[in-house]
Amino acid sequence: KQWYQRRVRGLKVSWNSNYAPHHLPCCGHDETTLLILGCPSFFTDSCVEEAISVLNGDIVNLSSQEKPSQIPKFHPPNPSRFFRDITSNADFRVVYVNFKSNEALKSVLSSISVMGKPVYVSELKSKPLVGLQRWRREHSCHYPDEAELRAECEQYMAEFNEREKLKLQHEKEMAETPDEDGWIMVTRSSKFSASAEQAEERKRQYDQKLDKKKKEMLHLYSFQEREKRKQSLADLKLKFQEDKDKIAKMKAARIFKPY
């Protein structure tokens, strides 16, 4: 059974009948996942999904990656119009297709083994843009509408803040509610829930420790301390001489006025 799933088959894909088909190596990654290697850029995820559906495959999820991995990462579909996945623009990529059951995977592998003509992407409903249309779309993506982009970012941040709020609330409830044995789970919110006074005290202690370390490292050698004392004495002598000259000039410029 495992040998049958791991045997490599070739999924033939072409843009239309005028081009030579690409033979994409396919094999079973595990009991319910199909691995497709070397998918070209024109064979998008939507095309893969439609082509597998034509082969009577009941798809649950689909994921594209730059390189194969032992554990494929299935992410939810990206609804953004401006922030796209990097792997969707790669020249060649790997695709993991997850099915509902092992029977669906075996049915697709059998259909790939006996398929005659290749899958023509130009005949699919979800065919990608090519040529001038694709260049125009890529150019327009470099200059998105500012209002639409701002609205999408604000909507994403609102949803993100709501998720974080619910997560912190759940962690707080877990930190306040003991389990059956009387233990309380230490979460991020309970770990960093110190008061402002404690945070200020920790900051003050850290600053003092840092200042002490700087003073200790200021003069590492004894000759540096001697040079510092010599320099301070020279500065004091210079300051004393300047003050002495200043007082002498003031006395010389003083004029006696009895009335």
Side-chain angles (χ1 to χ4, degrees), residues 147-191:
E148 295 180 358
L149 180 60
R150 183 183 297 274
E152 181 175 328
C153 294
E154 291 178 353
Q155 180 182 358
Y156 176 82
M157 291 306 301
E159 295 175 356
F160 175 79
N161 293 333
E162 185 66 23
R163 290 196 302 268
E164 289 295 315
K165 183 179 178 181
L166 294 175
K167 183 179 178 181
L168 291 176
Q169 183 178 358
H170 178 66
E171 291 181 354
K172 185 177 180 181
E173 292 175 357
M174 292 179 62
E176 295 175 354
T177 306
D179 57 6
E180 298 177 354
D181 299 330
W183 295 93
I184 296 179
M185 180 178 292
V186 179
T187 59
R188 183 179 63 179
S189 58
S190 61
K191 183 178 180 181

Side-chain angles (χ1 to χ4, degrees), residues 82-136:
F82 306 101
F83 304 98
R84 295 176 295 174
D85 189 7
I86 299 176
T87 57
S88 62
N89 297 328
D91 293 335
F92 293 95
R93 69 193 191 285
V94 297
V95 178
Y96 290 94
V97 185
N98 189 20
F99 298 96
K100 284 187 176 180
S101 61
N102 180 256
E103 288 73 15
L105 173 60
K106 291 193 295 184
S107 175
V108 170
L109 290 173
S110 300
S111 301
I112 292 175
S113 300
V114 300
M115 66 183 302
K117 68 174 184 178
V119 177
Y120 295 128
V121 180
S122 60
E123 298 178 358
L124 299 177
K125 296 179 181 179
S126 56
K127 63 180 181 180
L129 298 177
V130 294
L132 183 61
Q133 295 178 349
R134 180 178 177 180
W135 295 338
R136 290 177 61 185

Side-chain angles (χ1 to χ4, degrees), residues 194-237:
S195 62
E197 291 80 7
Q198 293 176 350
E200 192 68 27
E201 180 65 21
R202 287 198 300 268
K203 184 177 183 302
R204 187 180 61 81
Q205 293 177 0
Y206 176 76
D207 292 340
Q208 291 179 355
K209 185 178 179 181
L210 194 63
D211 293 340
K212 184 179 179 181
K213 187 175 180 180
K214 287 182 179 179
K215 290 179 180 178
E216 291 176 354
M217 295 298 295
L218 187 60
H219 303 294
L220 187 60
Y221 301 102
S222 58
F223 77 90
Q224 292 177 331
E225 189 67 28
R226 290 197 299 270
E227 292 293 332
K228 180 186 175 183
R229 288 198 295 268
K230 289 181 181 179
Q231 185 64 33
S232 61
L233 288 174
D235 294 339
L236 288 175
K237 290 180 180 180

Side-chain angles (χ1 to χ4, degrees), residues 13-15 22 24 36-48 64-65 84-95 121 124 126-131 134-135 137-138:
V13 177
S14 179
W15 177 253
H22 291 260
L24 308 182
I36 306 176
L37 299 171
C39 286
S41 58
F42 66 85
F43 197 48
T44 60
D45 293 350
S46 301
C47 296
V48 174
S64 294
Q65 298 179 190
R84 295 176 295 174
D85 189 7
I86 299 176
T87 57
S88 62
N89 297 328
D91 293 335
F92 293 95
R93 69 193 191 285
V94 297
V95 178
V121 180
L124 299 177
S126 56
K127 63 180 181 180
L129 298 177
V130 294
R134 180 178 177 180
W135 295 338
R137 186 192 64 179
E138 291 178 354

Side-chain angles (χ1 to χ4, degrees), residues 12-29:
K12 292 181 286 186
V13 177
S14 179
W15 177 253
N16 54 31
S17 59
N18 297 327
Y19 295 90
H22 291 260
H23 292 262
L24 308 182
C26 302
C27 64
H29 180 72

